[in-house]
Amino acid sequence: MKKTSKFIFFVYLSIVTLVFLAMLFILVPLASGGDQPIVVTILIGAYAVIVVLLYQIYQNYFKPISKITIVLQELIKGNYSARAHEKTHYGAENLSYAVNKLAFNLQNLNRQDKMHSRQLHTVIDNMESGIMLLDTNGYVQLVNRKFTDLFDKTESEVNNQLYYNVLKQKKIYHSVQEVFLYEETIKNSITLKKNGQTLYIEIVAVPFFNESNELRGLVFVFHDITELKHIEQVRKDFVANVSHELKTPITSIKGFAETMLDDEIGDRSLQQKFLTIIYKESDRLQTLIHDLLELSKLERDEFDIELRKIDLSTLIEDSITMVNDQAEKKGIHLMLRVTKDLSLMGDEARLKQVILNLLYNAINYSRDHGVVIITARPSNQWIEILVEDNGIGIQKEVIDRIFERFYRVDKARSRDTGGTGLGLAIVKHIVEAHKGVIEVESELNAGSTFRILLPIHK
Ligand SMILES: Nc1ncnc2c1ncn2[C@@H]1O[C@H](COP(=O)(O)OP(=O)(O)O)[C@@H](O)[C@H]1O
Ligand SMILES: [Mg+2]
């Protein structure tokens, strides 16, 4: 470019020189002998002026313009940091200022554009739902990270491919057809097998339009609703379990009451026997409903324990007194290893419930003449409570399940001891509401140890 402007300058210079030489050769012979030096002088003077002017034009216009052209070409290439550095005092100055301003604005726009697209990309990529964008021909234009994770594909495997070559599910195919046909949002759901697990995916297909309301494509959103499904299942199971648990005592109460109504039972001892069963079963019902209400209270979102300073040593001693009768009946030896004056911040009534539940379990799931040891001691910022027994123990395969609602290793045994299967679920809730942890170690036929850690909260 530089060469060209110089080149043009020399071309013009040559033309001017040739014109003057021609004029010199034509005009000088025409002038009379005395005027010839004057004509030559005038022509040389005029030539000098024109050459100086030409040089000025070259310096102030040609040269800067060719430099600005280079800058413009850089801008076209996308190099928005290119700038014109010409400082002339004539017309080209405005031009180079305008070009620099243009470059500056372009650079800003480009920077903003890049930032926006980066932000958009970050948002789309970090969404909890999978996204797939299709054009009106069904080609995939964009997918996010969740999508590639969900369907085990890479972006390059998916982009610019026909959607039905990417996703083989019939329901997806139908959703696309429906969206293109009715131009309305379509909801559907599919299941995916992933790492041996079934995922439930809700799909929403949304058409999108341009300003003139023409369909431009559709966006697929894939929500993983596996966890919701699981919660729903747990709820259904719970309702089924509750109904089942209620059914047994009610059937029994009704049966014995009917028998007593129908038959003329003269035998007073038989009457007594039936009434005792009815009483026991209604007692069972009451316990069950009490435990259910307790659990529902604990599970309520707004549930919060009231922390008060409590004397744990006294609380444990009181609990021991309450379970003494039951222990004596089985000849079980209760041992207390509690550090004196152990206090912590907690909910007294609820912590007593925890200790009682664990003690009753230790007694109920022990053989006659067993030993139950309760230990409470400080351990750093925690208080450690251990309830140990040398009873029937729990097999490894089910140990994680004993905190589930209604889970019982041996249903009949639990029932015989008046268990509802809710005790440990309640215990776990209370411990966790105190920001504590509960663990269990057990060996079948050797015994179990329940270990609770509660924060001291100074
Ligand atoms: N100390 C223990 N030794 C052996 N098994 C236990 C012990 N504590 C609890 N379990 C088992 O865990 C199950 C759940 O306990 P829990 O929630 O208290 O219900 P339950 O009303 O049956 O006592 C019990 O049915 C029992 O099978
Ligand atoms: Mg229990």
Side-chain angles (χ1 to χ4, degrees):
M1 259 300 139
K2 232 176 174 174
K3 267 183 193 158
T4 324
S5 65
K6 244 183 204 155
F7 175 71
I8 290 172
F9 172 69
F10 283 116
V11 169
Y12 285 0
L13 191 67
S14 319
I15 293 171
V16 169
T17 313
L18 282 177
V19 168
F20 271 96
L21 282 176
M23 278 160 66
L24 207 66
F25 285 115
I26 295 167
L27 290 180
V28 173
L30 288 182
S32 58
D35 292 339
Q36 277 181 351
I38 300 171
V39 172
V40 171
T41 314
I42 290 172
L43 280 178
I44 288 174
Y47 175 71
V49 169
I50 287 178
V51 166
V52 168
L53 277 179
L54 207 57
Y55 182 72
Q56 285 298 318
I57 290 171
Y58 165 73
Q59 275 295 336
N60 290 318
Y61 291 94
F62 278 21
K63 219 168 128 190
I65 285 175
S66 74
K67 281 190 176 170
I68 289 168
T69 313
I70 294 170
V71 172
L72 284 171
Q73 264 159 354
E74 283 298 302
L75 291 181
I76 291 168
K77 276 191 231 155
N79 171 16
Y80 300 121
S81 58
R83 295 286 184 277
H85 297 290
E86 270 328 277
K87 280 203 185 114
T88 54
H89 297 285
Y90 304 98
E93 192 191 31
N94 284 342
L95 185 62
S96 83
Y97 175 78
V99 167
N100 282 350
K101 186 81 188 153
L102 179 73
F104 177 76
N105 288 349
L106 277 175
Q107 196 174 21
N108 265 353
L109 275 178
N110 183 49
R111 201 178 287 142
Q112 276 173 13
D113 198 43
K114 273 194 182 144
M115 196 173 73
H116 284 157
S117 84
R118 216 172 17 237
Q119 283 170 341
L120 198 66
H121 206 259
T122 313
V123 170
I124 289 177
D125 245 1
N126 289 294
M127 274 173 71
E128 259 307 292
S129 306
I131 299 255
M132 178 174 75
L133 192 100
L134 300 186
D135 63 15
T136 41
N137 296 320
Y139 283 91
V140 179
Q141 296 302 315
L142 179 130
V143 290
N144 68 350
R145 192 160 35 206
K146 183 76 187 185
F147 177 93
T148 52
D149 284 354
L150 219 49
F151 293 96
D152 275 332
K153 310 251 180 211
T154 62
E155 246 179 82
S156 52
E157 280 175 341
V158 171
N159 278 341
N160 296 315
Q161 297 296 314
L162 275 168
Y163 76 92
Y164 48 77
N165 291 334
V166 175
L167 300 178
K168 303 285 181 196
Q169 280 85 354
K170 273 217 167 77
K171 282 184 174 178
I172 291 186
Y173 179 78
H174 289 308
S175 300
V176 176
Q177 300 303 313
E178 276 183 58
V179 171
F180 283 155
L181 213 57
Y182 302 112
E183 303 195 349
E184 273 178 1
T185 299
I186 302 288
K187 280 189 183 175
N188 219 325
S189 65
I190 55 169
T191 54
L192 280 184
K193 284 261 180 286
K194 208 172 174 203
N195 309 330
Q197 205 202 345
T198 305
L199 299 183
Y200 294 86
I201 310 291
E202 183 189 63
I203 47 181
V204 187
V206 189
F208 62 90
F209 306 88
N210 64 9
E211 301 87 55
S212 9
N213 240 352
E214 288 163 312
L215 187 69
R216 299 302 305 145
L218 68 88
V219 185
F220 262 107
V221 184
F222 301 85
H223 302 294
D224 184 351
I225 52 164
T226 314
E227 201 147 323
L228 281 179
K229 278 267 177 198
H230 176 70
I231 293 171
E232 194 182 299
Q233 192 55 44
V234 168
R235 263 203 197 124
K236 279 185 191 160
D237 289 351
F238 183 65
V239 173
N241 275 329
V242 171
S243 318
H244 184 77
E245 295 292 330
L246 291 174
K247 201 176 138 198
T248 322
I250 285 175
T251 313
S252 163
I253 290 171
K254 195 177 164 208
F256 283 105
E258 268 171 4
T259 319
M260 286 182 72
L261 284 172
D262 286 351
D263 293 319
E264 265 301 308
I265 306 175
D267 189 345
R268 185 127 169 82
S269 73
L270 202 59
Q271 266 186 15
Q272 199 68 25
K273 197 179 153 199
F274 286 1
L275 279 175
T276 313
I277 295 173
I278 290 176
Y279 176 76
K280 269 196 175 162
E281 291 297 319
S282 38
D283 192 47
R284 227 187 117 59
L285 266 184
Q286 200 181 19
T287 322
L288 193 65
I289 286 166
H290 169 271
D291 280 2
L292 278 172
L293 285 176
E294 192 60 28
L295 201 61
S296 112
K297 243 191 259 170
L298 290 168
E299 283 186 347
R300 227 172 270 158
D301 284 343
E302 62 269 29
F303 173 75
D304 231 348
I305 42 158
E306 271 182 47
L307 296 180
R308 289 223 176 85
K309 191 174 173 179
I310 48 177
D311 179 357
L312 196 64
S313 344
T314 319
L315 187 146
I316 292 176
E317 277 158 24
D318 290 352
S319 312
I320 292 283
T321 322
M322 289 170 77
V323 301
N324 234 339
D325 274 0
Q326 192 127 341
E328 258 170 29
K329 268 187 218 155
K330 290 181 82 174
I332 286 176
H333 182 53
L334 289 175
M335 281 169 72
L336 208 60
R337 289 184 189 156
V338 179
T339 309
K340 275 265 160 271
D341 300 323
L342 207 54
S343 65
L344 83 159
M345 298 299 287
D347 179 324
E348 184 158 12
R350 290 221 151 80
L351 283 181
K352 196 172 217 173
Q353 222 176 331
V354 168
I355 305 289
L356 282 175
N357 259 313
L358 293 182
L359 284 175
Y360 276 128
N361 277 351
I363 295 167
N364 289 336
Y365 303 110
S366 279
R367 281 171 283 262
D368 289 355
H369 311 294
V371 179
V372 172
I373 310 168
I374 177 158
T375 313
R377 58 187 173 211
S379 161
N380 296 326
Q381 291 307 303
W382 303 85
I383 282 179
E384 185 182 36
I385 304 169
L386 300 169
V387 179
E388 288 168 76
D389 64 62
N390 58 353
I392 61 169
I394 307 160
Q395 58 264 50
K396 288 220 159 27
E397 301 76 51
V398 298
I399 201 153
D400 289 333
R401 299 200 59 192
I402 59 169
F403 294 99
E404 284 175 24
R405 297 177 293 192
F406 294 119
Y407 184 81
R408 282 159 286 189
V409 180
D410 178 347
K411 269 207 154 154
R413 183 172 185 138
S414 158
R415 208 181 132 77
D416 283 347
T417 59
T420 58
L422 296 174
L424 286 179
I426 293 174
V427 165
K428 194 168 164 96
H429 267 292
I430 297 176
V431 171
E432 284 173 359
H434 280 82
K435 309 248 181 302
V437 279
I438 178 161
E439 299 162 350
V440 55
E441 266 174 41
S442 188
E443 200 173 315
L444 198 61
N445 297 322
S448 317
T449 303
F450 285 80
R451 177 168 179 259
I452 294 176
L453 287 176
L454 293 173
I456 292 180
H457 291 301
K458 284 263 164 50

